[in-house]
Amino acid sequence: LPLSVLPLAMTLPDSAWSATYVLLLLWTGALSTAVGFLLWIGVLRFLTAVLCTIPGAWRLDGVPRLRQRPVGPLVQALRQLGADVKCVGGEGLAPIEIVGGWLRGGSVALDAGESSQFLSALLLAGLGAREPLEVTVARLTSRPYVDLTLEAIGATGGRASRRGDRFRVEPGPVRGGVYRVEPDLSSAG
């Protein structure tokens, strides 16, 4: 599928992390079809997963530092769930090309010891999967961020749960609304 370019610019509050959750939750529920476009934005891991659920041809890229951020465990899990994901910059690295609309759901194992973003991204994408998604996690870093993801999904009407090392998300729409985005104190100096 051909890729076209659409400039995208937005200003996020002090907490880009929290704003990302809100943006992606609403986007997952709001978009059913889309035209592929080139994104030059720094939320690589979340968008990699969520775009697997949205029909279209997508290419994710960014500044040189972004191209060094590993996404290997996430990409492997997405492929096991039926996603069409190619790492153009080397296996597990950006640029990433995605043919969206093919995340079937099901069960997958994930190592989130390197980044909790891998799990949070899968949980968000699970809202747009074709069937329920269950993720078994062997290692998990930064559990509070995953808890934030589960809370954000619930606050928007989505259904996600945790039992020990297993996380489950039911596909379905989320609702819009007004959400307070807290500052990201983990990045404060």
Side-chain angles (χ1 to χ4, degrees):
L1 297 172
L3 296 172
S4 56
V5 177
L6 173 70
L8 177 64
M10 65 179 65
T11 302
L12 296 177
D14 291 340
S15 174
W17 181 266
S18 296
T20 298
Y21 285 115
V22 173
L23 173 66
L24 293 177
L25 283 167
L26 296 177
W27 190 6
T28 302
L31 292 179
S32 58
T33 60
V35 175
F37 58 88
L38 172 66
L39 293 170
W40 203 266
I41 191 169
V43 290
L44 178 68
R45 293 170 177 161
F46 298 103
L47 288 174
T48 297
V50 170
L51 291 176
C52 289
T53 69
I54 301 173
W58 310 94
R59 181 179 172 92
L60 300 175
D61 201 356
V63 297
R65 178 68 184 118
L66 181 73
R67 290 181 174 189
Q68 296 172 354
R69 291 194 66 168
V71 293
L74 174 61
V75 168
Q76 289 173 357
L78 290 166
R79 288 175 180 157
Q80 290 175 26
L81 297 168
D84 183 352
V85 182
K86 292 180 187 170
C87 295
V88 179
E91 192 55 38
L93 299 171
I96 298 171
E97 293 181 352
I98 300 163
V99 178
W102 299 104
L103 193 68
R104 72 172 173 267
S107 297
V108 69
L110 175 72
D111 181 350
E114 184 175 10
S115 174
S116 62
Q117 289 181 355
F118 299 151
L119 176 57
S120 290
L122 279 177
L123 295 174
L124 292 170
L127 293 168
R130 294 181 180 182
E131 57 189 65
L133 171 64
E134 186 171 289
V135 183
T136 303
V137 179
R139 295 185 312 144
L140 176 60
T141 188
S142 302
R143 180 179 169 177
Y145 286 120
V146 175
D147 291 340
L148 177 62
T149 302
L150 294 171
E151 289 174 25
I153 290 171
T156 58
R159 296 180 302 174
S161 61
R162 176 185 187 164
R163 287 203 173 144
D165 64 348
R166 292 179 187 253
F167 295 80
R168 183 175 175 88
V169 179
E170 299 290 331
V174 293
R175 65 179 178 269
V178 176
Y179 302 96
R180 180 185 166 107
V181 178
E182 299 293 333
D184 185 356
L185 299 178
S186 69
S187 63

